[in-house]
Amino acid sequence: MARMLSRDLPDIENILALNPRVKTHALLRSTAASKEEKKHWKRNSDRSCSSCEKLENNFDDIKHTTLSERGALREAMRCLKCADAPCQKSCPTNLDIKSFITSISNKNYYGAAKTIFSDNPLGLTCGMVCPTSDLCVGGCNLYASEEGPINIGGLQHFATEVFSAMGVPQMRNPALPSPDQMHKSFHTKIALIGCGPASISCASFLGRLGYDDITVFEKQKFIGGLSTSEIPQFRLPYNVVQFEIELMKDLGIKVVCEKKLSSDGMTLNSLKENGYEVVFIGIGLPEPNRHKIFEGLTMEEGFYTSKDFLPLVAKASKPGMCSCHSELPVLHGTVIVLGAGDTAFDCATSALRCGARRVFVVFRKGFTNIRAVPEEMELAREEKCEFLPFLSPREVIVKAGRIVSMEFCRTEQSKDGDWIEDEDQIVRLKADYIITAFGSVLSDPKVREAMTPIKFNRWGLPELDPETMQTSEPWVFAGGDIAGLANTTVESVNDGKQASWFIHKYIQSKHGFAVDSHPQLPLFYSPIDLVDISVEMAGLKFPNPFGLASAPPTTSTAMIRRAFQEGWAFALTKTFSLDKDLVTNVSPRIVRGTTSGHIFGPAQGSFLNIELISEKTAAYWCQSVTELKADFPNNILISSIMCSYNKADWTELSKMAEASGADALELNLSCPHGMGERGMGLACGQDPELVRNICRWVRQAVKIPFFAKLTPNVTNIVDIAMAAHEGGADGVTATNTVSGLMGLRADGTPWPAIGGAKRTTYGGVSGNAIRPIALRAVSAIARAIPGFPILATGGIDSAEVGLQFLQAGASVLQVCSAIQNQDFTLIEDYCTGLKALLYLQSIDELKDWDGQTPPTPCHQKGKTILKVSDLVGKTLPSFGPYLDERKRILAEYKLSSRNDNIVTESNVPRTFTPKKPIPAVQDVIARALMYIGAYGDLNIKEQVVALIDEDMCINCGKCYMVCNDSGYQAIKFDPETHLPTVTDSCTGCTLCLSVCPIINCIKMVSRTTPHVPKRGLPQAVDPVC
């Protein structure tokens, strides 16, 4: 019997074994079997697990907030970009959080980093260690929604880390005169004592202000202060601190190590004698707060303070911190950590990595009184640290020179809120080690004496003004822990930032200059900001290629004025007509699209509108254009006009618009709804002959450039563009909205629905949904009429997309829907993004990057991982018993490398120098056209196949499913490991890559065997094609 062609072959049937099928009946499985099955697929920790993961010498990133590019883009898209964003108000350094998240969502990672570093020179450090739940995240408006607040710290970490890999240095404010032309006040000698967050911040802002004789003195051999010595590697790697200090040094700031503040060394008076006119003290609180019951105890007996223990761990685990090749403290058995702050939990999690079997975190008060942020406590809990509240230390028991236990008494809170110790309730815990984390103090008499002549307050800290950070001596400022105000790294950074401005005011006042009472600290700058993105088109000079389309964002000229103030290079007026053609709009008329699924809020992939042209008169627009051109002579203003097919009307209106001072005209021949019924817009733009004639009429009437706005609602848009070109147009706008019906409700009524009758009409679809149509139109016109200016519009929502349109042949770019999703401030992101994209093309070391996206490392949960297949020669998924095996293999590897020498130097330069000319905008226009052609030009011999990175795979099976039901049944799916395997049947269709949720988990690689298409049946003769 002949095989049925419409049935799958047996080998395909085997592949389809796990393919989804419509459910026909309820499934039956015992609870016992379900519990056993669950263990196989479980990805999170089993709460009943009695054994702990071995963490010895494992200093890999453990932060919950860490994001891969995929995670960052999804999280940034979720952000509402709120007005007067409360998250920013909750940030000590006043980061413009809305703006940097906007840049991330647009894949402008340089723009995001620039925004972050402009307000916080330690933006990467703070992205990693900030207690965001108590700061910015605590103010997120999405707390009021069920999906919860934005992971702001993770986004900040991601953007600044990508920027650090770009190898771009910081530079002085380009607006400043050269150093030799600066007033002598900017050559004032300034000393900063302590190279921690407060000093780094203060020095960076002073350097940005133009001061060029700044020295930071550090008592240690290493730099970074507590960020280096007391925050563990798994939360804050040393290379992060090093990167930010190098950024500071880019401004000419000097760092001198092994120079400490002490009465027998460097003092405030000795600095003054050496010519330093201003001193900033940022030494932290260098001594531990040590309870009297621990007096006399030593490390040999098993006792550490946090200031003993954490620096030892840091020196042994932070590559590059020092060249001492220290080994980790060797712990065993049970460790008791005393304290309830962030430092206590850092000690607890670090103790596990030093060999401790069990760690108890013991504190005097209850869980509701813990000072540590929830993130810190949760990390310790996940690593199986135990928490013991309501216990106050009473006595340490030492036998044979070793700590063996500790005695506590129970604490209770009285009605008055005071905490009292109950001597009747005594608890004794066995312990091998005790680590105290009771905070820090300034107790060294030599340090205090060295700070003479400043005054101290009753807490033993310098007296200072909390607004100016100025001490009792006007020339001495302080910030960070030593100032007694900051409790976190980010607050220390802000202390330094605050002090920098008032140091500037102090110095300038000494030289007789008044400083603006409103602080104006310079932003972060780099060579990227110097890239020229101006462009010329039709004799017009555009400061940048981004402008406003003739659309709702230009409803009034007051709106255009605000847009110009924000930095938009050009704008088109809302289309206006002669008074005899005035319109009145219906409502509702602009609605969210359905093309992106059920997304509510910003990030709409499309809008549909049935809005007509402007309701305002031509006289209003002409007078306003005159006003705007007087105030913004360097911005391009284009009047968008519309008439019916009438020579007299087009002549009158175009002359009126030219007389108003408009730089150019746009002839709207494309409005897809309403106006066509009046013989205008689409009614004119779909006929090449009418377009040609209208362009000829306008060409005869005016001398300024004009552009015909084309409709995509035609068979061949190139024919219309050719007609405009033949009619004398200086260019075209491609394209207007696509005619569509956005959606119908369950009862059949449309949306938008007008009036009680709920009537609607076909409207114009705009936004990202029409981008492929617009790109095709732009590229097709550019190929057909080389050099013909094109104003592109249709789904331009980022610099990355703008670059695509430029490469497709556009000269300048019009934006509408993106502003409807957000606001006019987008222009800053677009400009920095385009500058970065152009600049990075000149860096040879970044040739593997895709725009601002670096190559994707092998990762799970956003964190870079070792490939288990490289260690043991096989791939293991990350769930159930396989996850346990992965952890065991990793633990053994980490343990075996415990005594390996830490690399202290890297041969990779921190900054990269452009080896090629940085392309101008004009250089990239039409660059992609050489790759676009007819189907017959494509090579059928060079085929590709899918390659899956099993270490990055999250085992979802999406590739398997799409290949089965939409492709070529070329992917097997293991029933036990859920690892997909590509077979020789792969035809390279790329559907699997298209639906894979993990960036670069699937790549298309060159096929190494001949591609023989499956024809279904043997061919009797050679095929025709």
Side-chain angles (χ1 to χ4, degrees):
M1 181 177 176
R3 179 177 74 83
M4 291 184 67
L5 297 178
S6 58
R7 284 189 181 277
D8 288 308
L9 293 169
D11 60 335
I12 300 297
E13 291 283 1
N14 292 334
I15 286 177
L16 295 174
L18 298 179
N19 205 46
R21 289 173 171 79
V22 174
K23 192 170 182 176
T24 58
H25 55 272
L27 295 178
L28 190 67
R29 186 173 58 184
S30 70
T31 301
S34 295
K35 285 186 174 182
E36 198 59 34
E37 180 82 354
K38 176 190 73 172
K39 294 178 183 177
H40 183 83
W41 305 105
K42 195 169 178 58
R43 288 184 181 269
N44 58 346
S45 298
D46 192 337
R47 287 183 296 175
S48 63
C49 178
S50 58
S51 61
C52 297
E53 179 184 351
K54 289 182 173 57
L55 295 170
E56 195 167 353
N57 200 42
N58 187 342
F59 289 89
D60 293 343
D61 183 359
I62 64 170
K63 297 182 293 296
H64 291 150
T65 54
T66 303
L67 295 168
S68 66
E69 184 175 37
R70 169 189 179 274
L73 292 172
R74 289 174 71 92
E75 191 69 357
M77 183 182 72
R78 234 175 31 92
C79 177
L80 301 179
K81 291 88 178 178
C82 304
D84 198 28
C87 55
Q88 179 173 343
K89 297 174 184 294
S90 304
C91 173
T93 59
N94 290 287
L95 280 190
D96 190 348
I97 295 168
K98 163 184 168 287
S99 293
F100 89 67
I101 295 182
T102 294
S103 291
I104 292 173
S105 64
N106 290 337
K107 294 184 76 173
N108 176 15
Y109 307 137
Y110 170 71
K114 176 182 170 68
T115 299
I116 293 163
F117 285 122
S118 287
D119 274 305
N120 184 342
L122 283 84
L124 180 49
T125 288
C126 291
M128 290 184 169
V129 304
C130 253
T132 53
S133 63
D134 192 45
L135 299 172
C136 52
V137 171
C140 179
N141 285 330
L142 280 173
Y143 249 122
S145 69
E146 55 271 45
E147 68 264 33
I150 298 298
N151 176 6
I152 297 171
L155 290 171
Q156 182 174 329
H157 170 188
F158 170 78
T160 48
E161 192 164 58
V162 171
F163 169 70
S164 72
M166 290 180 181
V168 179
Q170 181 173 196
M171 62 179 290
R172 294 170 75 249
N173 181 354
L176 289 175
S178 61
D180 60 337
Q181 294 180 325
M182 296 288 286
H183 185 268
K184 65 178 182 179
S185 60
F186 288 91
H187 306 312
T188 298
K189 288 186 74 173
I190 303 171
L192 298 98
I193 308 175
C195 193
S199 294
I200 297 168
S201 173
C202 185
S204 296
F205 281 110
L206 288 170
R208 293 177 191 176
L209 283 162
Y211 293 93
D212 60 8
D213 196 352
I214 304 169
T215 305
V216 181
F217 295 101
E218 169 56 52
K219 71 175 182 179
Q220 302 287 356
K221 293 181 179 180
F222 54 83
I223 49 181
L226 301 191
S227 296
T228 296
S229 63
E230 295 191 24
I231 301 180
Q233 173 78 1
F234 50 80
R235 286 214 302 128
L236 182 62
Y238 179 67
N239 64 340
V240 169
V241 179
Q242 199 170 27
F243 162 69
E244 290 168 335
I245 291 174
E246 290 300 319
L247 282 181
M248 175 190 76
K249 291 164 75 173
D250 288 340
L251 298 172
I253 293 155
K254 301 175 284 293
V255 177
V256 178
C257 289
E258 298 184 84
K259 192 84 169 175
K260 64 184 291 188
L261 186 66
S262 175
S263 58
D264 54 7
M266 181 176 63
T267 67
L268 293 183
N269 287 327
S270 70
L271 286 169
K272 195 169 189 177
E273 291 166 3
N274 288 324
Y276 289 96
E277 297 182 40
V278 177
V279 175
F280 176 85
I281 304 173
I283 60 173
L285 294 174
E287 291 86 38
N289 185 9
R290 189 163 177 153
H291 195 283
K292 60 183 180 181
I293 68 171
F294 302 106
E295 288 180 5
L297 291 175
T298 65
M299 286 188 276
E300 288 70 25
E301 292 171 303
F303 174 77
Y304 295 87
T305 67
S306 61
K307 287 193 170 291
D308 298 325
F309 179 65
L310 290 176
L312 290 174
V313 175
K315 288 178 182 178
S317 63
K318 292 194 170 187
M321 176 177 163
C322 65
S323 56
C324 56
H325 303 298
S326 301
E327 293 187 8
L328 282 173
V330 178
L331 305 185
H332 62 268
T334 300
V335 175
I336 292 176
V337 176
L338 302 174
D342 294 338
T343 302
F345 289 99
D346 281 341
C347 289
T349 48
S350 294
L352 291 171
R353 287 156 175 79
C354 295
R357 186 176 63 85
R358 298 190 74 184
V359 175
F360 292 95
V361 181
V362 184
F363 39 96
R364 291 180 60 247
K365 300 178 183 180
F367 284 98
T368 55
N369 304 103
I370 285 179
R371 289 181 292 108
V373 292
E375 300 96 305
E376 284 274 333
M377 186 175 171
E378 181 61 20
L379 287 172
R381 187 192 66 78
E382 286 183 0
E383 296 194 339
K384 301 298 194 308
C385 292
E386 303 288 353
F387 305 147
L388 295 176
F390 305 114
L391 294 177
S392 180
R394 191 166 180 266
E395 183 183 359
V396 178
I397 291 84
V398 179
K399 291 182 180 178
R402 292 291 307 176
I403 290 172
V404 294
S405 62
M406 186 164 187
E407 201 170 85
F408 300 85
C409 60
R410 178 83 172 173
T411 61
E412 294 179 352
Q413 194 169 20
S414 69
K415 292 180 180 179
D416 298 329
D418 297 325
W419 288 89
I420 57 177
E421 297 180 356
D422 184 355
E423 294 288 344
D424 293 332
Q425 299 186 72
I426 303 298
V427 176
R428 180 176 285 193
L429 297 177
K430 290 183 178 180
D432 298 287
Y433 298 90
I434 295 171
I435 304 172
T436 61
F438 295 147
S440 307
V441 294
L442 177 61
S443 59
D444 188 337
K446 290 186 177 182
V447 175
R448 291 172 62 88
E449 187 180 341
M451 294 167 70
T452 302
I454 66 173
K455 297 177 182 177
F456 292 85
N457 59 26
R458 61 194 174 101
W459 296 286
L461 301 176
E463 271 188 12
L464 54 76
D465 182 328
E467 285 300 314
T468 66
M469 312 309 293
Q470 202 165 22
T471 70
S472 57
E473 291 295 313
W475 57 284
V476 181
F477 296 73
D481 289 347
I482 190 74
L485 300 170
N487 295 317
T488 60
T489 299
V490 69
E491 288 170 340
S492 294
V493 171
N494 197 55
D495 280 0
K497 179 182 182 181
Q498 189 85 357
S500 70
W501 178 254
F502 290 98
I503 289 172
H504 172 57
K505 286 191 72 172
Y506 170 75
I507 293 172
Q508 294 307 309
S509 66
K510 282 187 63 180
H511 289 268
F513 297 110
V515 174
D516 195 328
S517 59
H518 179 68
Q520 294 181 334
L521 288 170
L523 302 177
F524 176 92
Y525 290 99
S526 82
I528 289 176
D529 298 301
L530 302 181
V531 174
D532 181 8
I533 55 170
S534 64
V535 62
E536 289 193 26
M537 180 195 72
L540 303 173
K541 179 70 177 286
F542 295 76
N544 64 66
F546 299 104
L548 304 183
S550 175
T554 61
T555 294
S556 72
T557 46
M559 296 168 71
I560 295 175
R561 176 178 292 274
R562 283 193 284 114
F564 283 169
Q565 289 168 343
E566 295 301 328
W568 293 87
F570 70 98
L572 289 96
T573 66
K574 194 86 159 69
T575 301
F576 60 92
S577 65
L578 295 171
D579 287 358
K580 69 186 181 72
D581 295 317
L582 283 173
V583 302
T584 300
N585 278 305
V586 298
S587 64
R589 62 181 177 273
I590 306 174
V591 300
R592 58 178 287 272
T594 58
T595 54
S596 299
H598 304 292
I599 293 177
F600 297 90
Q604 294 298 322
S606 64
F607 291 91
L608 177 132
N609 82 86
I610 52 173
E611 181 163 287
L612 302 180
I613 62 174
S614 176
E615 296 175 320
K616 294 180 170 61
T617 64
Y620 163 86
W621 285 107
C622 290
Q623 180 181 332
S624 297
V625 166
T626 303
E627 294 171 1
L628 286 171
K629 283 306 300 179
D631 292 343
F632 299 94
N634 296 324
N635 291 76
I636 302 299
L637 192 53
I638 302 173
S639 290
S640 179
I641 59 176
M642 180 186 287
C643 300
S644 61
Y645 187 67
N646 181 301
K647 181 177 181 179
D649 289 354
W650 280 106
T651 300
E652 179 185 356
L653 190 57
S654 61
K655 285 187 173 183
M656 188 187 305
E658 181 182 42
S660 72
D663 294 292
L665 307 178
E666 181 183 78
L667 316 185
N668 189 335
L669 307 175
S670 53
C671 187
H673 48 267
M675 304 311 296
E677 300 166 20
R678 301 169 179 232
M680 305 167 76
L682 192 71
C684 300
Q686 288 181 321
D687 186 332
E689 187 59 32
L690 301 189
V691 171
R692 187 180 297 108
N693 288 338
I694 291 171
C695 289
R696 284 172 176 165
W697 298 338
V698 174
R699 181 74 290 158
Q700 292 166 8
V702 300
K703 292 184 171 57
I704 59 174
F706 70 87
F707 312 99
K709 188 170 187 178
L710 308 183
T711 175
N713 303 297
V714 292
T715 303
N716 187 359
I717 198 170
V718 172
D719 293 341
I720 309 298
M722 292 282 261
H725 182 247
E726 292 163 2
D730 294 276
V732 292
T733 296
T735 68
N736 207 325
T737 54
V738 176
S739 183
L741 180 66
M742 191 51 78
L744 303 171
R745 298 183 185 274
D747 62 359
T749 58
W751 182 247
I754 313 302
K758 298 186 181 301
R759 300 277 296 177
T760 196
T761 187
Y762 300 117
V765 180
S766 65
N768 297 357
I770 71 165
R771 184 189 301 155
I773 298 170
L775 269 173
R776 186 219 180 268
V778 168
S779 60
I781 295 167
R783 292 178 64 222
I785 318 172
F788 192 45
I790 302 171
L791 295 82
T793 183
I796 299 169
D797 70 342
S798 66
E800 182 188 53
V801 172
L803 180 60
Q804 293 178 40
F805 274 92
L806 293 170
Q807 292 177 141
S811 303
V812 293
L813 312 164
Q814 297 183 23
V815 181
C816 166
S817 294
I819 298 169
Q820 292 178 173
N821 268 317
Q822 194 164 335
D823 56 57
F824 287 144
T825 61
L826 282 170
I827 184 58
E828 179 66 16
D829 169 68
Y830 292 178
C831 289
T832 58
L834 183 57
K835 288 178 179 181
L837 288 166
L838 296 174
Y839 181 88
L840 297 182
Q841 291 180 25
S842 68
I843 306 295
D844 287 344
E845 289 86 350
L846 306 182
K847 62 180 182 300
D848 293 332
W849 287 44
D850 179 14
Q852 294 193 53
T853 297
T856 305
C858 184
H859 66 90
Q860 287 275 344
K861 294 184 179 179
K863 302 174 181 68
T864 302
I865 59 170
L866 286 167
K867 294 176 78 77
V868 171
S869 55
D870 291 342
L871 298 177
V872 295
K874 65 177 181 179
T875 303
L876 297 168
S878 295
F879 58 78
Y882 309 108
L883 179 58
D884 292 338
E885 189 176 354
R886 284 180 73 104
K887 289 179 177 179
R888 179 187 58 77
I889 292 167
L890 182 61
E892 290 174 355
Y893 171 77
K894 293 289 184 180
L895 195 58
S896 68
S897 59
R898 174 168 182 152
N899 295 322
D900 290 355
N901 287 336
I902 292 178
V903 178
T904 58
E905 298 292 336
S906 171
N907 294 323
V908 179
R910 186 187 72 82
T911 60
F912 304 132
T913 303
K915 303 292 195 308
K916 297 175 287 193
I918 299 166
V921 173
Q922 212 70 44
D923 298 329
V924 300
I925 292 175
R927 186 167 64 178
L929 298 185
M930 61 186 288
Y931 303 109
I932 304 171
Y935 188 89
D937 296 333
L938 305 182
N939 190 326
I940 62 172
K941 297 189 182 300
E942 296 180 13
Q943 299 280 345
V944 295
V945 292
L947 179 66
I948 300 173
D949 187 328
E950 294 180 336
D951 282 293
M952 285 174 65
C953 178
I954 63 171
N955 320 106
C956 63
K958 296 304 297 181
C959 56
Y960 165 74
M961 291 152 56
V962 74
C963 189
N964 285 340
D965 288 1
S966 300
Y968 296 84
Q969 301 83 52
I971 297 178
K972 295 179 178 178
F973 198 54
D974 190 283
E976 294 298 317
T977 64
H978 277 189
L979 287 171
T981 305
V982 180
T983 71
D984 290 339
S985 300
C986 178
T987 67
C989 74
T990 319
L991 263 175
C992 57
L993 182 151
S994 301
V995 302
C996 178
I998 304 300
I999 297 173
N1000 286 343
C1001 179
I1002 300 179
K1003 296 179 179 178
M1004 305 309 294
V1005 299
S1006 296
R1007 189 184 188 96
T1008 56
T1009 58
H1011 172 57
V1012 180
K1014 295 181 179 179
R1015 304 297 186 188
L1017 286 173
Q1019 292 176 277
V1021 294
D1022 290 337
V1024 175
C1025 61

